[in-house]
Amino acid sequence: PLPSGGAEGAEPLLQLREEQQQLELGRRRDQLREAQQRLQEVALEAQQAQLKRLRQTSQRYWEHWEGLGGT
């Protein structure tokens, strides 16, 4: 029997496990990046909506003043 067979047999398994962990980390990193991008997009959209609302409000405000004849 080969005494070294056991150790050599374990090597590829360890390597496989490491590769799987690397893949797993890579996948998680991708997911994180996607989530961050989505968050930024949502934040931007919210900001734009807020600006739009502000613009509409100020417009209404000025129209109201002009309607009162105050310039």
Side-chain angles (χ1 to χ4, degrees), residues 17-55:
R17 199 175 298 148
E18 273 181 32
E19 282 174 25
Q20 277 182 326
Q21 283 178 339
Q22 288 296 322
L23 272 173
E24 197 62 31
L25 275 174
R27 204 176 299 137
R28 228 167 274 159
R29 217 172 286 136
D30 285 346
Q31 285 177 341
L32 261 175
R33 205 177 298 128
E34 280 174 27
Q36 284 175 331
Q37 280 179 338
R38 211 171 298 132
L39 264 176
Q40 278 180 327
E41 284 168 17
V42 168
L44 265 175
E45 280 174 23
Q47 234 176 358
Q48 285 171 344
Q50 214 172 7
L51 276 173
K52 206 171 171 185
R53 238 194 326 261
L54 270 173
R55 220 173 287 133

Side-chain angles (χ1 to χ4, degrees), residues 2 4-5 7-9 15 19 24-25 36 38 44 46 63 65 68-69:
L2 299 163
S4 62
E8 280 173 19
Q15 215 172 336
E19 282 174 25
E24 197 62 31
L25 275 174
Q36 284 175 331
R38 211 171 298 132
L44 265 175
E63 282 169 7
W65 266 109
L68 287 177

